[in-house]
Amino acid sequence: MKQGTTIITLDNGYHLWTNTQGEGDIHLLALHGGPGGNHEYWEDTAQQLKKQGLNVQVHMYDQLGSWYSDQPDYSDPKIAEKYLTYDYFLGEVEEVRQKLGLDHFYLIGQSWGGALVQMYAAKYGQHLKGAIISSMVDNIDEYVTHINQVREEALPADAVAYMKKQEAANNYDDPQYQKYVDVLNDGYVDRKKPAAISHLIPTMSRPVYGAFQGDNEFVITGKLKEWQFEPHLKEIKVPTLLTFGEHETMPISTAKRMAKEIPHARLVTTPEGGHHHMIDNAPVYYDHLATFIRDVENNNFND
């Protein structure tokens, strides 16, 4: 399979940026979070897995609207209604799979990408060897409860009260509010902040992120308020790895429940890892991932 970057044309006419790294007969398709983020924290995944003694071809892409792919005019209500939906992004994963010629592969997704993994594994599981849900819950209410606890523990009471006041006024541009968001991000989302994936300007697609999440990771005002996948967990039949950071925005208590409800699941956690624990503690994260893939490949996966 072609290495490096390939631009694929979707049936809808839009173009997606894709990139393949690594060698071997094992294939891993990586989904980024946000939604509206990009692939960049997966760039060294093939190298990290090789350090663990595993040769894997890793396929990455930026979802529609994200940094390296086409960005529709979401200010057009008809375009927003058509493309800013769960169904669109789930269908996009399947179309990318087809256009890259993948089958019997592993699917990994971070955060929002982990929601797509859950949906894809339930609907298109016949194409998968295994699913990896990285830092994503099945129940948004449990997430909201947890992030409220996180900021109450991380910030003084007056700071939390200030944030809630600005949120009630829909005043997310307030400079002091954003300073508090930065403090929370430093502690629970981007703990390590590698220079390699920093940019001179923000790369998050705000129209996509805003439609689903809202202003930041610690408040949900978009469509993710509706996210409730727990009734469908039993439909995920493939071996599944749940991987969470031990110091992040997603509640590990929910991950433990998910591991019990998904028929064939294993839960692992990463010490000193935040929401992006593949960066915060790469050796542990990729040891867990390589062990999972190796166990599945050797028919030695025990949930």
Side-chain angles (χ1 to χ4, degrees):
M1 187 170 288
K2 180 180 179 295
Q3 301 289 301
T5 296
T6 300
I7 306 299
I8 63 173
T9 303
L10 299 173
D11 293 345
N12 59 27
Y14 287 115
H15 303 87
L16 297 187
W17 180 99
T18 78
N19 187 277
T20 296
Q21 298 289 327
E23 300 176 344
D25 297 327
I26 301 171
H27 295 268
L28 175 69
L29 179 61
L31 308 179
H32 65 72
N38 64 52
H39 71 283
E40 290 175 334
Y41 44 60
W42 298 127
E43 286 179 342
D44 68 341
T45 295
Q47 294 176 342
Q48 293 286 356
L49 289 171
K50 191 169 185 178
K51 291 179 183 177
Q52 301 291 338
L54 198 62
N55 290 321
V56 178
Q57 287 197 53
V58 178
H59 312 275
M60 302 159 276
Y61 74 97
D62 276 12
Q63 297 159 22
L64 186 66
S66 289
W67 186 244
Y68 292 96
S69 292
D70 277 358
Q71 296 163 26
D73 180 8
Y74 294 119
S75 66
D76 184 331
K78 291 182 179 179
I79 291 177
E81 182 180 356
K82 183 174 183 179
Y83 293 112
L84 294 178
T85 69
Y86 290 101
D87 286 344
Y88 168 73
F89 283 106
L90 174 59
E92 184 184 81
V93 179
E94 172 60 6
E95 187 172 354
V96 169
R97 177 199 74 79
Q98 293 177 19
K99 288 187 164 29
L100 292 181
L102 301 176
D103 210 354
H104 305 298
F105 67 105
Y106 295 87
L107 183 66
I108 188 170
Q110 163 71 12
S111 194
W112 156 254
L116 293 176
V117 169
Q118 292 173 53
M119 292 187 287
Y120 189 91
K123 185 173 183 178
Y124 298 106
Q126 70 271 22
H127 297 297
L128 295 178
K129 285 184 175 180
I132 303 98
I133 301 166
S134 186
S135 294
M136 186 59 193
V137 296
D138 62 341
N139 182 313
I140 208 65
D141 293 338
E142 294 177 24
Y143 168 79
V144 171
T145 297
H146 181 69
I147 57 173
N148 282 325
Q149 292 173 345
V150 162
R151 71 176 178 179
E152 286 173 4
E153 293 171 1
L155 297 173
D158 60 341
V160 175
Y162 187 89
M163 292 188 76
K164 290 180 177 179
K165 180 180 179 180
Q166 301 309 316
E167 289 163 4
N170 200 32
N171 189 23
Y172 294 103
D173 292 333
D174 179 79
Q176 185 59 53
Y177 176 87
Q178 289 299 326
K179 286 182 180 179
Y180 290 140
V181 171
D182 289 342
V183 171
L184 294 170
N185 283 336
D186 288 349
Y188 297 91
V189 181
D190 296 309
R191 288 170 63 82
K192 196 168 182 179
K193 286 194 183 61
I197 62 170
S198 63
H199 292 265
L200 297 177
I201 60 174
T203 60
M204 177 70 73
S205 173
R206 298 308 303 188
V208 182
Y209 186 78
F212 284 89
Q213 175 80 17
D215 177 80
N216 62 79
E217 293 293 285
F218 300 89
V219 60
I220 295 185
T221 57
K223 295 180 180 182
L224 278 167
K225 288 174 69 174
E226 308 160 3
W227 175 248
Q228 302 290 343
F229 201 72
E230 183 179 357
H232 303 286
L233 290 184
K234 60 182 180 294
E235 300 166 18
I236 300 175
K237 305 297 186 183
V238 299
T240 302
L241 179 68
L242 294 150
T243 173
F244 282 61
E246 293 182 5
H247 201 72
E248 69 151 282
T249 56
M250 295 287 171
I252 294 179
S253 58
T254 299
K256 291 177 179 178
R257 176 183 53 72
M258 292 172 68
K260 293 178 181 178
E261 295 183 13
I262 296 173
H264 308 287
R266 173 189 298 172
L267 171 64
V268 295
T269 62
T270 301
E272 297 304 315
H275 196 47
H276 294 153
H277 53 297
M278 77 286 284
I279 291 176
D280 296 331
N281 194 342
V284 171
Y285 184 93
Y286 285 105
D287 173 61
H288 288 154
L289 179 56
T291 298
F292 170 74
I293 293 174
R294 193 177 288 113
D295 285 348
V296 176
E297 289 293 309
N298 295 333
N299 296 313
N300 193 35
F301 177 77
N302 297 310
D303 51 68

